[in-house]
Amino acid sequence: MSDEEQTPAKAGPQPEEIRFFGTTWVDHGGHYALRRAGLAVGALAAAVAACFVLRFAYEGLQIADVGGVVDVLVVVMFAVCSAIAFGKTWEGFLRRPADPAREESLRSLKAIGFIGSLLAYAARCLVEAPGEKLHRTEYETAVQQYEKRRATRAGNPSTRKKPKRT
């Protein structure tokens, strides 16, 4: 028998999994702190590597001698896109997007500013699992609503005492 068949399903709402953390964010078990630290270091390392790649691309523009205006535009474009990507990524950890279509339209901008997204992920890992606050709020609300509904029910009809017949 597998583990899923041996353990009965818990009644009520189940916590949503967070990438790299699963459901360990609920009780902070399963090397939660070590995962957070590792992901923060990994995201920072990826951001540093990305900066080196962008530096090589910028040097390629200088070798091509495309001109000062293009050099400035490229630097400003990556800086602005990274700042916007940082803000949108950080905001995504705190609340669900109000307009998913708008978030979809910003995907290319976030891809250009991927360094900002990596930095936001690393910074959030220092505080908590990215998205933990949002998931915890939603989970606790769902549990409260479930308990409230469960308390107002009459219970299992088969366990009720039956009135004696006379």
Side-chain angles (χ1 to χ4, degrees):
M1 280 190 157
S2 69
D3 290 338
E4 292 176 2
E5 293 174 3
Q6 291 177 350
T7 55
K10 181 185 163 203
Q14 300 297 314
E16 188 176 342
E17 292 187 2
I18 297 177
R19 182 179 293 165
F20 303 119
F21 292 94
T23 57
T24 60
W25 60 268
V26 176
D27 60 356
H28 292 186
H31 306 292
Y32 171 81
L34 188 62
R35 287 183 195 188
R36 274 187 31 215
L39 285 171
V41 169
L44 285 175
V48 168
C51 287
F52 279 118
V53 169
L54 288 180
R55 179 175 176 233
F56 294 138
Y58 182 76
E59 287 177 0
L61 289 175
Q62 287 182 331
I63 290 171
D65 195 29
V66 292
V69 175
V70 174
D71 290 342
V72 170
L73 284 176
V74 167
V75 170
V76 168
M77 176 198 60
F78 275 106
V80 168
C81 288
S82 291
I84 292 171
F86 181 94
K88 288 296 180 183
T89 302
W90 190 270
E91 183 181 304
F93 296 141
L94 300 176
R95 67 175 88 61
R96 300 271 182 202
D99 186 10
R102 184 163 190 255
E103 287 297 316
E104 183 67 27
S105 68
L106 291 175
R107 186 190 305 190
S108 60
L109 190 133
K110 285 177 156 180
I112 294 170
F114 62 99
I115 294 174
S117 293
L118 288 170
L119 292 175
Y121 196 86
R124 198 64 191 178
C125 281
L126 296 175
V127 177
E128 65 182 8
E132 179 181 345
K133 183 177 182 180
L134 172 67
H135 286 80
R136 187 171 301 281
T137 304
E138 291 174 349
Y139 177 63
E140 288 174 353
T141 303
V143 167
Q144 287 174 353
Q145 289 174 348
Y146 175 77
E147 292 299 326
K148 186 177 178 182
R149 283 192 313 266
R150 187 173 163 96
T152 58
R153 287 194 332 211
N156 187 349
S158 65
T159 61
R160 287 189 208 147
K161 292 183 180 179
K162 296 180 182 174
K164 293 183 181 179
R165 293 186 182 184
T166 56

